[in-house]
Amino acid sequence: MTLRSSWLTAPALCLALAAGARAQDVPKNDGWVTDLADMLSASEEGELETLMESYRSGSGHEIALLTLPNLGGRAIEDVALAVAREWKLGRESVSDGALLLVARDERALRIEVGRGLEGAVNDGLAGRIIRDVIVPELRAGRTYVALRSGIEALHAAAGGDYGPVERATPAEHRGNPAISILALVMFIVLIARARRRHGGGGGGFGGSALPWILASQLGRSSGSGGFRGSSGGGFSGFGGGGGFSGGGASGRW
């Protein structure tokens, strides 16, 4: 390699090494909410995940939340931009995504907006969401309220409806086992009496599938069937956008 060619390749090598370092600094996402600072309980995170998936389902836009213990000495603007690009938020063709980043130790936060949403969520509006919606709740110690309110404000600003919630909690489909068993016994007694009254063969069920149908219904009503009504909804990865140019706003609490 000649001296001239080594000078030409040195800048490219430096850029490649810098890009590799930035990629390593970006945390891996684990859903719509990546709570690395442990600012939310498991149930709170689950509620936000459902809300954010519903919004993506109804609007197509992708808005994610990341909490970090600290920024590691970096500017929050640099971190948010690197994360939004690396995660490829928003649909590939329009980059209609946004990221809410919260740094716990620095008490700093930023809304990073993709190019496809800059018209709806401009810098001034992003700043007002931070100052008027999120920061007052964080200062009051209501972390979940702050983050949920901020996400909902971003959803409202970006536009679009919420889609149907596909996941159901076990409690929503879980009946009272004692009442279910009593109803089952009463139903069997009534069927047996009717069969005897009409000469149905000594009260037995013979080859009838009725007992198995009833048992199946009992199992479902008592909750043994798990998450009923689910049609596989949930986080399936971001859309492949990542077109971010630094639009958004930052703040502190």
Side-chain angles (χ1 to χ4, degrees), residues 48-106:
L48 282 179
E49 288 274 353
T50 300
L51 174 75
M52 296 156 85
E53 174 62 28
S54 171
Y55 181 68
R56 195 265 292 272
S57 174
S59 71
H61 306 319
E62 298 182 346
I63 296 177
L65 169 64
L66 169 64
T67 74
L68 293 174
N70 58 73
L71 295 168
R74 297 167 293 169
I76 193 168
E77 292 80 7
D78 294 340
V79 175
L81 186 59
V83 169
R85 287 174 172 173
E86 182 72 18
W87 285 4
K88 299 186 183 302
L89 277 165
R91 287 172 289 188
E92 185 174 5
S93 58
V94 289
S95 292
D96 53 340
L99 173 71
L100 173 57
L101 170 62
V102 181
R104 184 193 62 203
D105 293 352
E106 291 86 351

Side-chain angles (χ1 to χ4, degrees), residues 45-213:
E45 183 173 342
E47 289 175 8
L48 282 179
E49 288 274 353
T50 300
L51 174 75
M52 296 156 85
E53 174 62 28
S54 171
Y55 181 68
R56 195 265 292 272
S57 174
S59 71
H61 306 319
E62 298 182 346
I63 296 177
L65 169 64
L66 169 64
T67 74
L68 293 174
N70 58 73
L71 295 168
R74 297 167 293 169
I76 193 168
E77 292 80 7
D78 294 340
V79 175
L81 186 59
V83 169
R85 287 174 172 173
E86 182 72 18
W87 285 4
K88 299 186 183 302
L89 277 165
R91 287 172 289 188
E92 185 174 5
S93 58
V94 289
S95 292
D96 53 340
L99 173 71
L100 173 57
L101 170 62
V102 181
R104 184 193 62 203
D105 293 352
E106 291 86 351
R107 301 175 74 85
L109 64 156
R110 177 165 177 81
I111 294 174
E112 193 71 33
V113 182
R115 287 196 291 265
L117 288 182
E118 285 181 347
V121 188
N122 57 43
D123 296 358
L125 180 55
R128 288 197 297 273
I129 291 174
I130 289 175
R131 292 191 305 272
D132 300 338
V133 177
I134 304 176
V135 165
E137 298 294 346
L138 286 175
R139 286 176 176 168
R142 294 186 287 265
T143 302
Y144 174 68
V145 173
L147 299 182
R148 181 175 183 123
S149 298
I151 292 296
E152 289 176 337
L154 280 170
H155 289 170
D161 297 325
Y162 289 97
V165 177
E166 297 180 343
R167 259 185 285 183
T169 60
E172 291 175 343
H173 297 285
R174 185 170 293 161
N176 187 315
I179 295 176
S180 301
I181 293 172
L182 178 60
L184 174 63
V185 172
M186 292 178 63
F187 192 81
I188 292 174
V189 170
L190 290 174
I191 291 295
R193 287 179 178 175
R195 286 176 63 85
R196 282 198 299 270
R197 186 179 302 116
H198 296 287
F205 288 101
S208 170
L210 180 60
W212 303 107
I213 295 173

Side-chain angles (χ1 to χ4, degrees), residues 18-41:
R22 285 196 300 268
Q24 291 177 356
D25 289 339
V26 172
K28 180 178 176 59
N29 77 79
D30 58 9
W32 293 109
V33 180
T34 303
D35 183 25
L36 300 182
D38 293 325
M39 299 179 73
L40 298 166
S41 68

